[in-house]
Amino acid sequence: MSDDPVEDPGDGFIRVRDAVYGIGFMWLAAMSAFGAIQATAYGATTAPIFFLVAVGAASLAVIAGYASVRAFGLR
């Protein structure tokens, strides 16, 4: 083992930690989008207040998707 500090990966590569975060954010985006679809269906058939839940879930899906893209370095 050397005492040299860890260098950043070269161009075109990402660290494992960033990849794990990116996959986690992709999962969160997918689950939020699915929740938004379910809340929209429930709001259309039962309680219109769930349209607000759908908007919140959709915004969370967009934010998580953007965070995933940034984690993979694709800004």
Side-chain angles (χ1 to χ4, degrees):
M1 288 256 161
S2 67
D3 292 332
D4 295 334
V6 177
E7 295 180 14
D8 285 336
D11 290 337
F13 294 101
I14 61 172
R15 294 187 308 234
V16 172
R17 184 185 326 157
D18 293 337
V20 170
Y21 287 153
I23 291 171
F25 283 129
M26 281 187 343
W27 177 83
L28 181 60
M31 293 300 109
S32 298
F34 185 67
I37 292 168
Q38 287 182 325
T40 301
Y42 192 74
T45 59
T46 306
I49 192 72
F50 277 92
F51 286 127
L52 293 176
V53 174
V55 168
S59 1
L60 180 61
V62 169
I63 292 168
Y66 179 70
S68 176
V69 167
R70 287 185 54 104
F72 286 114
L74 301 173
R75 302 170 199 176

